[in-house]
Amino acid sequence: PNPANNTTKRITVGLGNTKADGSSSTPILSPDGRYVWFSSSASDLVAGDTNGQSDLFVHDRQTDVTSRLDITAATGLALDGGVFLGDVSPNRRWVTFSSNATTIVPGDTNGQYDAFRLDTQNSTVTRVSPSGPNQATAGSFARSVSDDGRFVFFESRSEERRVGKECRSRW
């Protein structure tokens, strides 16, 4: 809603100002109200979205422009699994998300949802749930990120939990 004129505006609009061809969820509004981050399975929010998976987007309410966040810069491969938004730091630099895609970071072979942190300044993604030879055996889901991006809190259903109960942090 816009308090100035009591109107509601849809931000998940397809190219050509048409109804988006997929659903959107998990919106997060920036503290100043300018930006909205969200997950969406729509393939027509931005040009060239051909991976057939849900992606992460940010909409600038001032310029009315929606952009897809690049979370596969490390591998250069299209997503082969879904992505769901976790949190965005107040300074907009750090974005956490969960995904079962194996094409985000090299060596992700557990076939489970993992928790990730995106640094939007340099487009680097780090898996924060267990990686390497001790990958999680069940899903891990990103929840919140500290203001400086140093701590990412996530829920893990894996039996390998060694810290905390349902939330862990890494960094």
Side-chain angles (χ1 to χ4, degrees), residues 2 4-6 18 21 30 34 38 43 50 77-79 94-95 100 125 136 142 145 148-149 152 156 163:
N2 182 340
N5 60 13
N6 286 330
T18 61
D21 66 3
S30 64
R34 178 174 177 175
F38 58 96
S43 65
T50 59
L77 301 171
L79 281 178
W94 309 102
V95 176
N100 63 346
V125 175
V145 60
D148 62 1
V152 172
S156 178
V163 179

XYZ file of all heavy atoms in Angstrom, residues 2 4-6 18 21 30 34 38 43 50 77-79 94-95 100 125 136 142 145 148-149 152 156 163:
191
model
N 0.425 2.243 -0.691
C 1.085 3.539 -0.716
C 0.255 4.484 0.139
O -0.862 4.837 -0.223
C 1.169 4.037 -2.158
C 1.884 5.361 -2.266
O 2.006 6.103 -1.294
N 2.370 5.645 -3.453
N 0.299 7.524 0.545
C -0.047 8.793 -0.086
C -1.353 8.703 -0.872
O -2.134 9.646 -0.899
C 1.079 9.244 -1.002
N -1.598 7.568 -1.505
C -2.825 7.473 -2.300
C -3.593 6.170 -2.078
O -4.507 5.862 -2.822
C -2.516 7.664 -3.789
C -1.551 6.621 -4.316
O -1.289 5.620 -3.661
N -1.024 6.859 -5.501
N -3.213 5.415 -1.051
C -3.909 4.174 -0.701
C -4.087 3.221 -1.880
O -5.159 2.684 -2.101
C -5.270 4.478 -0.069
C -5.127 4.983 1.338
O -4.184 4.621 2.032
N -6.051 5.821 1.764
N 2.616 -7.732 -18.282
C 1.615 -8.791 -18.271
C 1.638 -9.521 -16.928
O 2.570 -9.359 -16.146
C 1.894 -9.813 -19.387
O 3.181 -10.400 -19.149
C 1.868 -9.156 -20.758
N 3.973 -15.457 -15.221
C 3.556 -16.829 -15.526
C 3.922 -17.839 -14.441
O 3.921 -19.044 -14.677
C 4.115 -17.259 -16.880
C 5.635 -17.361 -16.893
O 6.281 -17.153 -15.846
O 6.176 -17.648 -17.978
N 13.251 -3.671 1.913
C 14.395 -2.974 2.499
C 13.903 -1.985 3.549
O 12.748 -1.533 3.494
C 15.197 -2.255 1.418
O 14.436 -1.229 0.804
N 12.485 0.933 -0.516
C 12.756 1.056 -1.951
C 12.840 -0.286 -2.657
O 12.389 -0.438 -3.789
C 14.047 1.842 -2.180
C 14.395 1.961 -3.641
C 15.566 2.842 -3.911
N 15.880 2.838 -5.340
C 16.802 3.590 -5.893
N 17.509 4.418 -5.152
N 17.031 3.507 -7.177
N 12.574 -11.248 -3.501
C 11.598 -12.330 -3.464
C 12.101 -13.504 -4.294
O 13.020 -13.379 -5.095
C 10.224 -11.866 -3.961
C 10.222 -11.308 -5.365
C 9.893 -12.119 -6.446
C 10.539 -9.979 -5.599
C 9.891 -11.610 -7.738
C 10.540 -9.461 -6.890
C 10.213 -10.270 -7.959
N 8.930 -17.239 -15.266
C 10.040 -17.179 -16.231
C 10.018 -15.899 -17.055
O 10.897 -15.698 -17.888
C 9.976 -18.385 -17.177
O 8.797 -18.301 -17.961
N 15.503 -18.853 -18.582
C 15.123 -20.092 -19.255
C 15.468 -21.345 -18.464
O 15.388 -22.445 -18.995
C 15.806 -20.172 -20.635
O 17.229 -20.131 -20.437
C 15.375 -19.027 -21.534
N 26.923 -22.196 -14.593
C 25.901 -23.132 -15.065
C 24.511 -22.660 -14.666
O 24.338 -22.010 -13.635
C 26.154 -24.517 -14.473
C 27.514 -25.141 -14.790
C 27.715 -26.397 -13.959
C 27.626 -25.434 -16.273
N 23.515 -23.006 -15.446
C 22.131 -22.682 -15.117
C 21.708 -23.455 -13.876
O 22.213 -24.550 -13.605
C 21.216 -23.017 -16.288
N 20.778 -22.904 -13.123
C 20.253 -23.603 -11.950
C 19.595 -24.912 -12.360
O 18.878 -24.961 -13.352
C 19.212 -22.749 -11.243
C 19.707 -21.629 -10.358
C 18.524 -20.863 -9.786
C 20.580 -22.146 -9.243
N 24.274 -8.571 1.766
C 24.246 -10.014 2.010
C 22.839 -10.568 1.850
O 21.895 -10.051 2.421
C 24.755 -10.313 3.425
C 26.066 -9.661 3.701
C 26.281 -8.524 4.427
C 27.342 -10.083 3.238
N 27.608 -8.226 4.439
C 28.299 -9.164 3.716
C 27.778 -11.148 2.456
C 29.650 -9.280 3.452
C 29.127 -11.271 2.189
C 30.044 -10.349 2.681
N 22.727 -11.640 1.076
C 21.454 -12.304 0.846
C 21.643 -13.783 1.184
O 22.590 -14.408 0.707
C 20.996 -12.149 -0.622
C 19.707 -12.921 -0.875
C 20.829 -10.677 -0.986
N 18.255 -26.588 -3.585
C 18.675 -27.965 -3.822
C 19.428 -28.084 -5.151
O 19.718 -29.187 -5.600
C 17.485 -28.922 -3.785
C 16.461 -28.644 -4.871
O 16.477 -27.593 -5.507
N 15.561 -29.588 -5.082
N 29.102 -16.612 -3.963
C 28.176 -17.404 -3.156
C 28.982 -18.415 -2.361
O 29.884 -19.070 -2.893
C 27.148 -18.138 -4.049
C 26.264 -19.042 -3.213
C 26.308 -17.135 -4.810
N 25.715 -32.278 4.524
C 24.497 -32.615 5.266
C 23.752 -33.743 4.562
O 23.728 -33.827 3.338
C 23.602 -31.387 5.387
N 18.301 -21.602 5.022
C 18.807 -20.300 5.463
C 17.706 -19.519 6.147
O 16.579 -19.486 5.673
C 19.357 -19.527 4.275
N 20.756 -13.389 8.452
C 22.157 -13.040 8.267
C 22.451 -11.813 9.124
O 21.608 -10.928 9.256
C 22.484 -12.774 6.773
C 21.668 -11.629 6.212
C 23.977 -12.548 6.559
N 26.747 -7.589 9.094
C 28.024 -7.579 8.379
C 28.235 -8.836 7.538
O 29.285 -9.001 6.914
C 29.186 -7.389 9.345
C 29.312 -8.517 10.370
O 28.501 -9.479 10.334
O 30.215 -8.431 11.219
N 27.264 -9.740 7.512
C 27.361 -10.958 6.714
C 28.230 -12.033 7.328
O 28.384 -13.109 6.760
N 25.579 -16.456 9.488
C 24.371 -16.892 8.807
C 23.740 -17.958 9.687
O 24.399 -18.923 10.065
C 24.683 -17.471 7.410
C 23.444 -18.092 6.806
C 25.257 -16.401 6.504
N 18.815 -26.940 10.229
C 19.271 -28.150 9.563
C 18.547 -29.351 10.140
O 18.433 -29.481 11.355
C 20.777 -28.324 9.728
O 21.193 -29.524 9.102
N 26.299 -28.311 16.548
C 26.203 -27.050 17.264
C 24.733 -26.659 17.363
O 24.023 -26.687 16.380
C 26.978 -25.939 16.517
C 26.863 -24.627 17.261
C 28.421 -26.345 16.338
